[in-house]
Amino acid sequence: MAIAEQEPQVERRPWNDILHDWVTTVDHKKLGIMYILMALFFLIVAGIEIILVRCQLFVPRAQFIGPDMFNQLFTMHGTTMVFFMGMPILIGIGNYIVPLMIGARDMAFPRLNAFGFWVTLFGGLVMYFSFLAGGAPDIGWFGYAPLTSAAFSRGTSTDYWIVGLLVSGTGTIAAGVNFIATILTMRAPGMTFRKMPLFVWMMFFDAFLILLAIPPLTAALIMLLFDRQLGAHFFNTQAGGDALLWQHMFWFFGHPEVYILVLPAFGMISEIIPVFARKVIFGYESVAAATVAIAFISLGVWAHHMFTVGMSKTLDYIFAGATFLIAVPTGIKVFNWVATLYGGRLRLHTPMLFALGFLGMFLIGGLTGIMLATVPFDWQVSDTYFVVGHFHFVLFGGTLFAVMAGFFYWFPKVTGRMLSEKLGKWQFWFLFVGFNLTFLPMHMSGMLGMPRRIAYYMPDRGFEIWNQLSTIGAFVQVIGFLIFIWNLVASLRKEPDAGDDPWDAWTLEWATTSPPPSYNFAVVPEVRSRRPLWDLKHPEDPDWKYE
Amino acid sequence: MPRNTPLEQRRHPPWNGQLTWFSGGLLAVAQAPPDNLSMFDPVSPPAESILNLTYLLLGITGAIFLVVEGMLVWCIYRYRQKPGTETEPPQNYGSKPVELAWTVTPALIVFVLFLIVFRTIADTRRDPHQAPPPGSKPLHVTVIGHQWWWEYVYEKYDGTEIRSEDVKDGKPVSQRYMKTANELHVPASADGTPRPVYLHLQSVDVIHSFWVPRLAGKTDVIPNRINHMWFQSAIPGLYLGQCAEYCGTQHAGMLLRVYVDPVDEFETWLANERKPAVEDPAAAAGKKVLESEACMNCHTVRGTAAQGGFGPDLTHLMSRETIASGLEPNNKEMLRVWVKDPQQIKPGCRMPAMNLTDAEIDQVVAYLLTLK
C-alpha cells in the first residue's frame, strides 16, 4: 500500500563519498538521525559520569573520587542530559517524523536545519573540551551566581560552560523556528490544525516554548560572560550585583525547559497508545487544548524553584497557585490516555510497554511535583534527593521512557528493520526495575535529610541503605542500556524485514516506504481526517464521518 | 560541655502511632540511625506544622496514585489482546461530560491544597521584627555563611544586647557582638516560657542554605540579602543538619549542629563565651606561634593579637565538640592533623597547610587545647 515508489537499489559507494553525503546533507531525515546519534553518544557519556557519582555514594564518606571531580561529574551529567541528550533526541525525532507526518518533503528551512544540528553538536564539543583545558565546569547545571563569578570560579571551566550553552542554544532556537514554519506552512492538503496528529501539535508548542525560553537563558549567559570577562556586575555580589537576578532569569528558562523536554514525549505517547490499543485517542481536542494550556502556564511558574530564597508570602502564593494549576491540564492528558486504553485491544509490543511504563512513572513524578508545589513542604525537601527523585521520574520515567517507546515504534520506518521484540522486552524490564530501584529510594533519603550535590555523606544518618539501593538500581539500568545497544547493532546487521507499515498504524509516515525515499512522498497524500490511513483501511467506516 | 542525648528525648507527633503503615513500614530503617535528621521527627513548631501538611499531602497524592495506577493496571489486564481476537474494537472519540469531570475534580483538589498552603505559610512564617509573643524570651542570632563553615553572631537575648567582656590594655572593653562558629547553642523553652530563636541569615561569599530538618524548613543564605527564619524547642538535644545549597568544593562538608540546651546550661555557656580567651602561661609558646604566623590573619582569639575574620573565631574553641564544621571530633589528635594540613581532612577548604615544624604544631595544639 506504499504510496511512494521503491527507490532503485544503488551500488555500494566508497566511505568518503558516504561521509561527504552525511556532512553536507540538508535532508531532514539524515539530520534527524545525526541528532539522535549525537544524543545517544552524550547519553552514554553522561551515563558514565553519573555511574561514577553513584559509585562514590555507595558508602558514607567515600574517597573514590575527590570532591572537585565529583562536582564536575554531576554538573556535566545534568548539563549534558538537558542540553546535549534531552533536547537533541527530541528535536531529532521531531525532525525525522514531523515532515513525514504532515506529508511534507522536508523541513521549511533545510539549510537552517543543518546549521542547527552542527551548532548544537559543536556546543557540546566545546563544553567537553573543558576536560582537556584544565577541568570541567563544577557549578551545577543551574550555575547559581555568585558561585560562577570570577572570584569563586577560577580558571576557564565556567567560560566553556557559558560558550557551550550559548552556541548550542543558537542551534536549538534555529530548530524551534524551523518547526514552527514547517508546521504552519507545509501541511498536506486537507490537514487543518484540527486534523493534525497530536505529536505535531506538541512539537508545534514545544517550538514556541523553545523560542520563549532559550533567549532569556542566552541573555543571562551573555551577562555572566560580561561579568567574568569584561568586569560587569550583573551577578557579582561582591560588587553589588544580585544573586537572585540570575535565579529568576535562569528559571524563566529552566522551568519551560522541563516542558520542552516533556511535551514531545506527551506527543509520542499520544501517537503510540492509540495504535497499540487499536483505538482512536480519547478526546483529541482536550489533549491538544491541554498542551496549549501547559505551554502557557509553564511560562508563569518559574519561581517555584525559589521557594527557599526568602520571597514574599505573596509571591509564594502566586507561584504555588500557578504550579497547582498546571496539574489540571496534565491530569487531563493522563486521564485521556488511560481512557484510550479502556475498551481497547492492547497489543503489548515493546513500544506499548514503554508507553505504559511512561504512564505509570510519569504519574508518580507529577504527584511528587504537586507535593513540591506545596510551599512549606518544599522548604523541607527542596535541594534534597527528594527533588532528584521527583524530576528523574518526570524526565527519565517520563521523557526517556517515551523516547524509548518512540524509538521502538519508528525504528522500522527509519531503517526498514524491526528491533528484536525479545531483547526489547528484556531491556524494558531491566530499565523499569532499575529505574525504580534507583529513584524511589531517593525520595526517602531526601526526606531523611540528605541534600543534593554532596560529594559524600556522613555515616549514621540513615542515608546508607537508600544510597546503596540507588547505586544497585543504576547498575541494573546499565544492563538495560547494554541490551538496547546490542539490539540496535544486531538489527542493523540483518536484512530489512519491516515493510512499510509493521504496526498497522494510521498516520501519514506509514504511507511511504521504510526507509522513506529522500523526497518522502512521490504523491502528496490527501488528508480528510486525523487518521488518514484508517480511512484508507476502513473505507466503509472512515474517521471523517465522526470528526 | 557534655553532649546532649537527643535520641531518648525524641518526641513523636500524636498521629504518628495511627500511621503505623508508614512509620512502622517505610520508616523502620529511618528510625534506626543514631544521628537523626528526619523531618518526620520534628521538635519545633515550624517543622511540626510542615509534618502535618506532609501527612495530608501523602494522603491526597497517595489516594490519587492508587486510583489512577489502579485504573491503569486494570485496563492493561482487562483489555490486553487475547489470542484469536483480531477485529478492531469500537472507536470512542471522547465524551464531553466525562472529560469535564476529570477537569473539575483535579481543579477542586488543587484548590483545597492551595488553601491549605495559604494557611500553613501563615502558621510557619514569623516576622522577626514583630513584638515577640508575651512572656517569651527570644534569642536573636546572625548566621553568616562562609565557604565552608558557619559563623554565629549572638545579638540579643531576652531583650538585652549580648556584649563580649574583653580586656584591652588592662582595661575592660566590651564589643557589640559575641561570635562563635559551627556549633549553635540555643536555650530550650521551659516552664511556660517560650524561647523562640530568630536567625538572621547572611553570606559573605556564595549562596548557602541553613537546614536543620527537625527544627524548621530550610532558608537560603544569600549574599547582599538578609533572610530570616525562626524555631523554638522545648526538647533539649543536639539537632543536626547541613548546608543545602550547592556552594562549591566542600559543600558536603558544611555541616550544621544546633544544641538546644536547658536554660541554665545555655546561660552558663553564654557567660563563658562572652569572656576573653583563657591566659595559660604554660601554653605561651603556642600563643606566640599563633600570633606570629599567618594564623592571626584569619582567626580571632579575643584577648590576643589574633583578630582575623576570614576563619572561625577560636576564642573558646574547646567549648566545641567538633572541628572542620562538624566533620571530625575536636580532640588533640584531630587538631594536630588539622593544623598540620587541613586538606587531609577537608580537601579544597580555604585553610592552607602552614608548613609549621612538628614542634610548632605541638605548641599551637597545646595552646588551642587551653581555649576552653
Side-chain angles (χ1 to χ4, degrees):
Chain A
M1 74 164 314
I3 293 174
E5 299 161 14
Q6 192 69 38
E7 199 175 16
Q9 208 67 37
V10 285
E11 295 283 309
R12 241 184 197 291
R13 293 176 303 158
W15 67 270
N16 52 352
D17 202 20
I18 298 173
L19 185 69
H20 180 264
D21 206 26
W22 282 83
V23 171
T24 58
T25 187
V26 294
D27 175 23
H28 75 99
K29 295 181 290 299
K30 285 186 173 149
L31 287 166
I33 291 170
M34 286 196 286
Y35 262 118
I36 291 167
L37 289 178
M38 166 194 167
L40 290 180
F41 168 74
F42 279 113
L43 174 69
I44 294 170
V45 173
I48 292 170
E49 283 160 358
I50 209 63
I51 284 290
L52 293 173
V53 162
R54 284 301 343 155
C55 288
Q56 164 88 349
L57 293 175
F58 192 71
V59 288
R61 286 198 86 170
Q63 304 201 328
F64 171 63
I65 39 179
D68 275 324
M69 180 47 84
F70 183 93
N71 296 342
Q72 292 175 26
L73 289 176
F74 79 69
T75 300
M76 291 304 283
H77 169 77
T79 308
T80 307
M81 284 299 194
V82 170
F83 292 97
F84 306 120
M85 189 275 161
M87 286 200 286
I89 205 161
L90 297 168
I91 290 173
I93 294 175
N95 230 310
Y96 198 104
I97 298 301
V98 165
L100 287 168
M101 261 189 174
I102 61 174
R105 288 190 170 171
D106 204 316
M107 298 284 278
F109 308 116
R111 279 181 290 181
L112 182 70
N113 203 13
F115 168 80
F117 164 72
W118 289 106
V119 159
T120 307
L121 176 64
F122 282 130
L125 296 181
V126 164
M127 189 167 298
Y128 269 85
F129 188 75
S130 62
F131 271 110
L132 304 176
D138 58 353
I139 49 176
W141 90 278
F142 53 101
Y144 270 12
L147 193 62
T148 49
S149 69
F152 301 110
S153 174
R154 306 283 169 87
T156 54
S157 63
T158 302
D159 302 304
Y160 278 103
W161 184 77
I162 296 169
V163 174
L165 293 190
L166 274 177
V167 170
S168 74
T170 314
T172 311
I173 293 172
V177 173
N178 217 342
F179 277 121
I180 293 174
T182 307
I183 295 167
L184 277 180
T185 60
M186 299 184 63
R187 281 168 285 128
M191 186 185 277
T192 58
F193 257 59
R194 294 176 67 89
K195 298 201 190 319
M196 239 162 47
L198 283 167
F199 180 66
V200 180
W201 260 98
M202 306 222 188
M203 286 307 297
F204 186 61
F205 280 91
D206 202 55
F208 271 106
L209 278 184
I210 286 175
L211 284 197
L212 290 168
I214 307 278
L217 174 71
T218 307
L221 288 169
I222 290 173
M223 288 157 78
L224 182 59
L225 199 61
F226 278 16
D227 273 12
R228 288 179 57 85
Q229 299 295 335
L230 304 176
H233 302 144
F234 294 108
F235 312 118
N236 183 358
T237 48
Q238 300 197 312
D242 189 347
L244 289 189
L245 177 64
W246 170 269
Q247 295 194 15
H248 280 292
M249 294 189 78
F250 184 82
W251 290 118
F252 189 80
F253 145 78
H255 199 79
E257 171 66 21
V258 177
Y259 291 91
I260 292 172
L261 291 173
V262 87
L263 280 186
F266 290 169
M268 289 187 257
I269 293 302
S270 306
E271 296 301 329
I272 292 166
I273 284 186
V275 166
F276 288 88
R278 306 311 301 158
K279 267 185 72 201
V280 66
I281 186 92
F282 189 90
Y284 169 95
E285 289 91 347
S286 46
V287 175
T291 308
V292 184
I294 289 174
F296 183 73
I297 304 171
S298 79
L299 293 165
V301 300
W302 75 90
H304 71 207
H305 296 264
M306 301 166 57
F307 284 144
T308 62
V309 305
M311 289 188 299
S312 71
K313 282 180 191 171
T314 316
L315 284 182
D316 282 351
Y317 298 144
I318 290 172
F319 284 102
T323 310
F324 283 140
L325 207 57
I326 216 164
V328 177
T330 315
I332 292 175
K333 288 195 171 187
V334 172
F335 289 125
N336 277 301
W337 290 323
V338 175
T340 308
L341 299 178
Y342 181 85
R345 176 166 62 82
L346 309 189
R347 299 183 302 176
L348 297 177
H349 295 299
T350 314
M352 186 59 158
L353 282 186
F354 276 106
L356 296 171
F358 163 94
L359 279 185
M361 301 301 97
F362 179 75
L363 175 71
I364 297 177
L367 290 174
T368 50
I370 291 177
M371 295 178 77
L372 284 166
T374 314
V375 185
F377 179 74
D378 183 82
W379 289 336
Q380 282 286 20
V381 297
S382 173
D383 266 311
T384 70
Y385 266 88
F386 189 92
V387 177
V388 182
H390 156 71
F391 73 74
H392 279 95
F393 264 87
V394 175
L395 292 182
F396 189 147
T399 301
L400 193 71
F401 269 60
V403 164
M404 282 295 167
F407 214 102
F408 277 84
Y409 180 57
W410 281 306
F411 189 86
K413 177 50 60 184
V414 175
T415 65
R417 295 159 173 85
M418 302 298 287
L419 283 165
S420 155
E421 273 293 304
K422 193 178 162 197
L423 290 176
K425 282 175 179 159
W426 276 108
Q427 180 206 348
F428 170 78
W429 286 110
F430 270 105
L431 272 190
F432 185 79
V433 171
F435 168 80
N436 280 290
L437 196 55
T438 309
F439 296 108
L440 277 178
M442 288 186 181
H443 296 92
M444 289 309 298
S445 47
M447 287 195 289
L448 294 177
M450 182 170 169
R452 300 168 71 174
R453 304 173 180 131
I454 52 174
Y456 53 88
Y457 53 91
M458 302 300 282
D460 295 331
R461 295 186 169 195
F463 302 161
E464 287 92 339
I465 176 72
W466 308 108
N467 278 284
Q468 283 158 3
L469 288 175
S470 290
T471 304
I472 294 168
F475 279 96
V476 176
Q477 291 181 49
V478 167
I479 301 173
F481 282 111
L482 289 177
I483 295 173
F484 178 55
I485 293 169
W486 182 18
N487 199 351
L488 284 187
V489 174
S491 302
L492 288 175
R493 290 169 64 94
K494 68 180 181 185
E495 287 300 306
D497 60 348
D500 295 342
D501 183 16
W503 307 118
D504 191 7
W506 302 314
T507 38
L508 279 186
E509 76 270 26
W510 304 103
T512 184
T513 56
S514 307
S518 58
Y519 46 85
N520 290 353
F521 300 95
V523 180
V524 177
E526 181 90 26
V527 175
R528 294 189 72 183
S529 80
R530 289 164 198 153
R531 298 190 294 171
L533 268 62
W534 170 277
D535 296 351
L536 221 56
K537 293 167 188 172
H538 301 270
E540 76 292 351
D541 189 26
D543 253 8
W544 49 262
K545 281 189 180 168
Y546 305 94
E547 283 170 5
Chain B
M1 179 151 299
R3 175 169 161 159
N4 293 304
T5 50
L7 289 176
E8 291 76 1
Q9 291 151 339
R10 193 197 299 126
R11 196 184 63 174
H12 291 284
W15 3 258
N16 215 359
Q18 295 155 20
L19 289 162
T20 38
W21 62 273
F22 198 77
S23 53
L26 268 177
L27 285 187
V29 190
Q31 300 214 337
D35 294 341
N36 187 5
L37 282 78
S38 172
M39 59 178 280
F40 291 97
D41 291 310
V43 293
S44 157
E48 277 161 12
S49 52
I50 293 177
L51 182 61
N52 276 325
L53 177 70
T54 303
Y55 282 130
L56 184 79
L57 271 178
L58 286 172
I60 292 175
T61 52
I64 300 173
F65 171 81
L66 289 177
V67 169
V68 181
E69 297 279 2
M71 288 182 339
L72 178 62
V73 171
W74 182 80
C75 279
I76 295 172
Y77 177 77
R78 171 70 179 75
Y79 296 109
R80 72 192 188 284
Q81 185 173 31
K82 293 162 194 90
T85 49
E86 288 299 329
T87 51
E88 302 284 30
Q91 303 294 306
N92 186 344
Y93 294 81
S95 151
K96 286 283 173 292
V98 174
E99 288 171 61
L100 192 65
W102 65 51
T103 308
V104 172
T105 314
L108 287 177
I109 293 175
V110 294
F111 182 67
V112 170
L113 272 175
F114 180 70
L115 294 180
I116 295 165
V117 167
F118 209 85
R119 202 187 140 155
T120 317
I121 291 181
D123 278 356
T124 319
R125 283 250 184 120
R126 204 188 263 189
D127 184 354
H129 305 298
Q130 264 174 359
S136 70
K137 297 187 172 176
L139 171 70
H140 289 266
V141 181
T142 293
V143 178
I144 302 174
H146 293 255
Q147 279 183 325
W148 292 277
W149 61 282
W150 302 94
E151 181 172 16
Y152 300 114
V153 184
Y154 282 70
E155 312 248 3
K156 218 191 221 181
Y157 177 48
D158 192 12
T160 8
E161 282 181 359
I162 301 170
R163 306 179 84 89
S164 66
E165 295 170 359
D166 291 342
V167 179
K168 200 176 180 187
D169 304 329
K171 277 178 257 169
V173 290
S174 112
Q175 293 185 13
R176 172 84 164 68
Y177 305 116
M178 187 214 91
K179 289 179 186 174
T180 179
N182 289 329
E183 295 184 1
L184 178 67
H185 285 260
V186 301
S189 304
D191 305 331
T193 313
R195 288 186 172 80
V197 180
Y198 294 95
L199 301 182
H200 310 281
L201 308 161
Q202 304 180 35
S203 169
V204 295
D205 40 48
V206 301
I207 302 178
H208 306 277
S209 190
F210 189 97
W211 186 38
V212 181
R214 297 180 64 192
L215 295 175
K218 65 181 65 66
T219 308
D220 288 355
V221 180
I222 301 171
N224 291 0
R225 186 183 172 93
I226 302 176
N227 276 339
H228 307 279
M229 63 180 282
W230 79 284
F231 61 88
Q232 156 188 320
S233 178
I235 303 153
L238 165 62
Y239 301 107
L240 300 171
Q242 69 187 89
C243 174
E245 183 62 82
Y246 176 64
C247 57
T249 307
Q250 273 294 348
H251 168 52
M254 195 169 166
L255 307 179
L256 277 159
R257 300 171 76 83
V258 177
Y259 294 80
V260 176
D261 297 333
V263 179
D264 48 339
E265 266 182 50
F266 171 73
E267 284 171 359
T268 316
W269 174 86
L270 188 62
N272 181 58
E273 293 286 314
R274 289 168 60 204
K275 289 179 193 151
V278 177
E279 281 285 345
D280 187 345
K287 180 182 169 195
K288 191 156 178 288
V289 175
L290 187 116
E291 285 182 323
S292 54
E293 292 289 337
C295 315
M296 60 176 284
N297 291 339
C298 295
H299 292 286
T300 293
V301 181
R302 275 185 286 119
T304 74
Q307 296 291 325
F310 294 114
D313 187 304
L314 301 178
T315 311
H316 298 283
L317 175 65
M318 295 317 290
S319 73
R320 311 207 272 265
E321 288 186 337
T322 58
I323 57 170
S325 68
L327 277 181
E328 294 293 344
N330 184 9
N331 55 38
K332 190 178 170 186
E333 291 71 37
M334 287 320 295
L335 277 174
R336 213 178 174 289
V337 178
W338 179 264
V339 173
K340 189 169 161 60
D341 184 6
Q343 306 296 325
Q344 293 293 318
I345 292 176
K346 201 169 177 177
C349 79
R350 293 285 187 234
M351 178 168 162
M354 302 304 299
N355 295 320
L356 302 179
T357 64
D358 275 0
E360 286 172 328
I361 294 172
D362 286 335
Q363 290 166 346
V364 170
V365 170
Y367 175 63
L368 292 176
L369 288 170
T370 67
L371 297 174
K372 296 214 174 2

